[in-house]
Amino acid sequence: DAFNNYKLFPRLNELLESDYFRYYKVNLKKPCPFWNDNSHCGIRDCAVKPCPSAEVPDGIRSGSYKYSEEANNLDEECEEAKRLGAVDGSLSKETQQAVLRWTWHDDSSDSFCEADDISSPDAEYVDLLLNPERYTGYKGPDAWKIWNSIYEENCFKPQNVKRPLASGRGESSISLSGVCVEKRAFYKLISGLHASINIHLSARYLLQDTWSEKKWGPNITEFQQRFDEVLTRGEGPRRLKNLYFLYLIELRALSKVLPFFERPAFQLYTGNKSHDAEMKNLLLEILHLAKSFPLHFDENSFFAGNKKEAAKLKEEFRIHFKNISKIMDCVGCFKCRLWGKLQTQGLGTALKILFSESLIEKLPESGPSYGFQLTRQEIVALFNAFGRISTSVRELENFRNILQNMR
């Protein structure tokens, strides 16, 4: 808690507010691949306001794909997004190559995520700062169906356990004894992600909605219903434990990927040269900080047994996780869908890093890194997803203080 709340969280927050990390390209119009679902949340707070392409820095757009004439002619404005720095259009040769590699790289073979086709006309840039993750009112059978599908069909668990959702309040207690360490870890990662999302919703709850103002803030009752030991029949503390497990896995991935970002060829390119250099320094500071953490999770016990069995299990892991990323296209609330897709892609990228350690170690100092590559989408998702978990750990301290004061 101390490491996150006082050292890492403030720096990470600053990084995520920069232009490179605030724009995420996403296709929110993909149909649900698993069931016919036309039920979209009609609540105002579920809507996502996309960014017209003219508001997105040139450097970021050139790293994704050439916009159509029509998209360039959109002259709407993103509220509050006018503070973008002047864009330097002259690209150095090295930057041009880096940008092309982001665009070319097809990582389907080692990806844990069903990534959006960002060249699709339906894919749009979203300014994450203008579309914060918070309680939207999206709940009930539709929301339960998503989590049910994730746990029931895509989480490894003993075959004989059927796990009905306890009154829609998240997973009911299941025993994971007799399940191998990797499958237990997979379940705990998903449970940790679920816990993190529930903390965000409880921390940024709609407390007041009148014609003159909306007020968002912590809802202690909502938090207790999801995490209190008595109210959840002992399940709440386990969910929070899984959140810390998820934190450690993603922190470990950040410490492992440092060599990729340290190379001079890597740039956080938006077109604003001095700002880009400043943000790269901050990024490296965060990664060195992650590396300095004394209690890192040791992933060497994963997939360490029989080579053939390990390869089969790793592939199973990948397929299950890809399925979960596809389920995000079934979420009826667009804002929840946006953050669901971003956080699953972020966790998928963290897993990809942990399973590519030998490739990262072999990266050349300069020149192309064909063995291991991250697209801009993966980079933005990785840091924003970790930012969400880091925020959850920070919010937990806040809830603890509120509960102590209530006593």
Side-chain angles (χ1 to χ4, degrees):
D1 284 351
F3 171 79
N4 177 72
N5 298 350
Y6 303 107
K7 287 186 179 174
L8 205 140
F9 175 77
R11 291 176 173 90
L12 190 56
N13 240 13
E14 186 187 339
L15 185 77
L16 297 180
E17 285 175 1
S18 71
D19 287 349
Y20 187 91
F21 288 97
R22 65 187 280 193
Y23 293 105
Y24 180 63
K25 198 166 195 193
V26 65
N27 181 356
L28 295 172
K29 295 176 184 165
K30 279 167 91 172
C32 170
F34 299 109
W35 55 80
N36 285 335
D37 196 6
N38 301 317
S39 60
H40 288 309
C41 166
I43 303 167
R44 214 176 19 182
D45 295 314
C46 281
V48 167
K49 184 172 171 52
C51 238
S53 62
E55 297 289 346
V56 179
D58 282 356
I60 291 176
R61 279 189 285 148
S62 63
S64 297
Y65 75 104
K66 293 281 171 268
Y67 265 66
S68 65
E69 201 57 33
E70 185 190 10
N72 277 327
N73 288 337
L74 272 175
D75 56 355
E76 293 173 43
E77 287 181 341
C78 257
E79 49 201 314
E80 301 161 44
K82 292 175 189 160
R83 53 186 191 75
L84 300 180
V87 173
D88 172 12
S90 58
L91 298 182
S92 73
K93 202 165 183 193
E94 206 162 41
T95 304
Q96 279 177 349
Q97 286 178 335
V99 164
L100 281 171
R101 280 201 300 278
W102 289 343
T103 319
W104 281 339
H105 181 61
D106 172 23
D107 68 338
S108 53
S109 59
D110 57 357
S111 167
F112 281 75
C113 259
E114 188 66 31
D116 281 348
D117 171 14
I118 58 169
S119 59
S120 154
D122 284 336
E124 294 179 286
Y125 280 103
V126 171
D127 183 339
L128 297 172
L129 299 184
L130 297 184
N131 293 281
E133 185 184 23
R134 58 190 178 193
Y135 180 77
T136 61
Y138 176 64
K139 55 185 179 182
D142 284 346
W144 302 344
K145 190 176 179 181
I146 300 292
W147 284 112
N148 239 340
S149 177
I150 288 171
Y151 283 114
E152 208 55 77
E153 292 159 42
N154 293 288
C155 257
F156 299 102
K157 57 179 180 39
Q159 284 305 304
N160 57 348
V161 177
K162 269 287 168 209
R163 195 206 45 73
L165 271 184
S167 69
R169 282 284 166 207
E171 74 278 30
S172 58
S173 183
I174 72 168
S175 164
L176 290 171
S177 57
V179 178
C180 74
V181 64
E182 293 86 355
K183 293 183 179 181
R184 277 206 305 275
F186 190 98
Y187 173 84
K188 285 162 79 171
L189 287 175
I190 301 307
S191 168
L193 186 59
H194 193 180
S196 181
I197 290 169
N198 279 336
I199 290 170
H200 306 151
L201 305 187
S202 306
R204 299 194 70 172
Y205 203 86
L206 185 56
L207 300 176
Q208 184 187 332
D209 188 4
T210 62
W211 64 272
S212 59
E213 69 160 339
K214 284 190 167 206
K215 195 175 160 208
W216 307 85
N219 182 329
I220 199 74
T221 312
E222 193 69 26
F223 178 80
Q224 285 176 304
Q225 281 182 320
R226 294 167 192 266
F227 298 107
D228 180 271
E229 189 165 8
V230 177
L231 293 176
T232 59
R233 294 192 293 254
E235 201 56 37
R238 196 176 311 170
R239 291 172 192 162
L240 293 177
K241 203 172 171 183
N242 291 340
L243 165 75
Y244 282 100
F245 177 71
L246 173 65
Y247 182 95
L248 287 175
I249 289 272
E250 294 204 11
L251 186 71
R252 180 67 162 171
L254 290 185
S255 72
K256 293 271 184 187
V257 81
L258 176 61
F260 175 80
F261 289 107
E262 269 184 325
R263 294 168 314 129
F266 178 81
Q267 295 180 49
L268 291 175
Y269 183 71
T270 67
N272 183 337
K273 227 171 192 167
S274 59
H275 184 67
D276 290 345
E278 200 184 312
M279 286 304 116
K280 180 171 178 180
N281 286 338
L282 179 59
L283 172 81
L284 293 178
E285 190 188 329
I286 288 166
L287 295 180
H288 278 288
L289 192 59
K291 203 171 176 123
S292 75
F293 185 67
L295 298 164
H296 267 294
F297 177 80
D298 178 12
E299 75 288 351
N300 289 328
S301 56
F302 281 173
F303 307 107
N306 173 303
K307 277 252 161 62
K308 211 170 172 182
E309 279 299 303
K312 188 174 155 228
L313 187 57
K314 181 179 167 184
E315 187 52 23
E316 224 182 314
F317 219 76
R318 218 168 61 80
I319 289 165
H320 275 255
F321 200 85
K322 270 199 147 165
N323 244 359
I324 289 173
S325 68
K326 284 182 192 168
I327 289 174
M328 292 302 145
D329 287 315
C330 302
V331 176
C333 160
F334 285 115
K335 195 168 279 179
C336 312
R337 184 183 294 199
L338 161 70
W339 285 101
K341 283 167 88 90
L342 182 137
Q343 287 173 87
T344 46
Q345 188 176 19
L347 176 52
T349 305
L351 293 173
K352 172 179 161 174
I353 291 165
L354 290 178
F355 293 128
S356 308
E357 188 178 6
S358 58
L359 293 175
I360 295 170
E361 281 169 0
K362 289 181 197 146
L363 282 174
E365 275 290 305
S366 61
S369 56
Y370 294 118
F372 174 82
Q373 183 60 269
L374 292 177
T375 63
R376 179 181 173 272
Q377 286 289 104
E378 288 174 312
I379 294 165
V380 173
L382 175 70
F383 283 91
N384 272 286
F386 186 64
R388 296 281 72 216
I389 302 155
S390 175
T391 302
S392 293
V393 172
R394 177 74 191 78
E395 292 292 357
L396 273 180
E397 185 176 288
N398 191 27
F399 277 118
R400 272 196 291 267
N401 291 338
I402 294 172
L403 284 165
Q404 252 164 356
N405 293 337
M406 282 167 64
R407 291 190 189 113

